Amino acid sequence: MDAVLNSDSKQFHHDVNRALETEPPRALNELEWMPPVTRPGKVLCVALNNSANPERIMSGPSTPAMFVKPSSSLIGHEQPIRIRESYGRVHPEPELAVIIGRGGNDIPIDQALDHVFGYTIFNDITSPTMRTEDTFHYRAIHPSDSEPDGIRYVESWVTYPARYKGADTFGPLGPWVVTSDDIPDPHALRIRCFHNDRVITDDTTENLRFSVAEVISFASSYLSLEAGDVIAMGTALKRATKGSAVQNVDLGTLGGTVTVEIEKIGALRNPVARR
């Protein structure tokens, strides 16, 4: 997949068809799945990007806020999410993922979708326990408002996502990439998350607070986007009619299997294993 990210979709389909003609068929259950992009330069994740729950944001930026997951956290379809007891509470976060096909800087919004190679499914595994453990409540040092060489202290809260978002296996991705020509509107896709056979989220990408084009344009204004980069668009949070919030599904306690299903893409399924 990495080798074709700079190609257009026609070339990609040609390569796939040639492989189908020359390679012997194999049953899906005989395959060992890898992430469809194995070592992206970066995995950008958009925080709190769901307009279905605006009351949750008491204050925040008027532009997309993002964090980065390491590529070492990625696993493929059917690969286990490995959780240690010390991780505490761990829950899934079902998301649409964008695969960048053509990089750039300062990309205009009206040209942003031209930089998309395709779309896949992402599960942003998260440990609120580790987030709490890695949160500082401290007095930040700021320049003084009245003295040129003086300082002042500002009470602040800050946390860092390396552990609670970036632990090994905290980034299921796949099973495959659907090219952008097959998904003309990424904001009209039903997204569902299952724990075992129970639906816990039934949402739509229509509820994204910032669109794919807006996120790409804004991100490219301060960092270089490169072919193969992954952008996870934010968690589908709307509860299923008879389900519960994803935050209630503690994978460390419940184990089981998590499946994220996105219309026109497929289903990403991962069992939970204790390390």
Side-chain angles (χ1 to χ4, degrees):
M1 179 62 69
D2 299 77
V4 301
L5 284 169
N6 283 313
S7 305
D8 60 21
S9 295
K10 183 181 292 186
Q11 181 63 44
F12 172 67
H13 286 299
H14 171 75
D15 292 343
V16 169
N17 289 332
R18 184 173 60 183
L20 290 173
E21 293 171 358
T22 59
E23 295 293 327
R26 298 182 183 180
L28 289 179
N29 60 6
E30 296 177 356
L31 299 178
E32 181 177 351
W33 294 82
M34 298 180 66
V37 184
T38 55
R39 277 290 183 264
K42 48 191 166 293
V43 181
L44 287 175
C45 301
V46 189
L48 293 170
N49 193 32
N50 191 296
S51 62
N53 293 280
E55 71 280 358
R56 298 177 63 235
I57 303 175
M58 293 179 287
S59 65
S62 59
T63 53
M66 304 183 197
F67 59 92
V68 178
K69 278 207 177 197
S71 60
S72 57
S73 70
L74 299 181
I75 56 172
H77 177 61
E78 296 286 7
Q79 299 306 303
I81 301 165
R82 300 189 180 276
I83 299 174
R84 299 182 189 273
E85 184 178 353
S86 60
Y87 292 176
R89 186 160 64 91
V90 177
H91 63 72
E93 294 191 7
E95 307 190 11
L96 173 70
V98 179
I99 309 299
I100 297 297
R102 180 161 57 92
N105 298 93
D106 298 318
I107 299 169
I109 290 179
D110 61 358
Q111 298 175 24
L113 293 184
D114 296 337
H115 291 254
V116 176
F117 174 78
Y119 301 92
T120 188
I121 303 169
F122 188 65
N123 190 350
D124 177 21
I125 303 297
T126 301
S127 168
T129 300
M130 290 197 287
R131 177 178 59 208
T132 299
E133 292 172 349
D134 290 346
T135 295
F136 294 86
H137 183 200
Y138 75 116
R139 295 191 302 157
I141 298 174
H142 288 236
S144 172
D145 291 332
S146 57
E147 301 175 24
D149 296 324
I151 63 170
R152 61 189 176 93
Y153 294 100
V154 178
E155 183 177 350
S156 301
W157 295 83
V158 66
T159 189
Y160 297 96
R163 279 205 313 153
Y164 85 87
K165 289 285 194 180
D168 286 350
T169 76
F170 272 29
L173 184 74
W176 41 66
V177 175
V178 176
T179 52
S180 58
D181 54 336
D182 286 326
I183 301 181
D185 185 0
H187 305 105
L189 304 175
R190 186 183 185 185
I191 245 185
R192 293 193 294 173
C193 183
F194 301 79
H195 178 247
N196 295 331
D197 295 323
R198 182 169 65 99
V199 182
I200 56 175
T201 293
D202 192 344
D203 202 355
T204 170
T205 53
E206 183 182 4
N207 282 328
L208 291 173
R209 182 181 175 209
F210 297 103
S211 70
V212 171
E214 289 170 326
V215 169
I216 290 173
S217 179
F218 181 72
S220 72
S221 71
Y222 64 89
L223 54 78
S224 297
L225 291 181
E226 303 167 304
D229 284 348
V230 177
I231 301 178
M233 286 297 301
T235 308
L237 284 174
K238 191 174 181 181
R239 294 187 181 194
T241 303
K242 296 182 179 179
S244 62
V246 294
Q247 290 85 353
N248 291 343
V249 180
D250 180 3
L251 300 177
T253 301
L254 298 174
T257 299
V258 179
T259 303
V260 180
E261 182 182 277
I262 300 184
E263 184 181 5
K264 296 186 179 180
I265 298 178
L268 171 67
R269 184 173 54 252
N270 298 93
V272 175
R274 291 179 175 82
R275 296 177 67 179

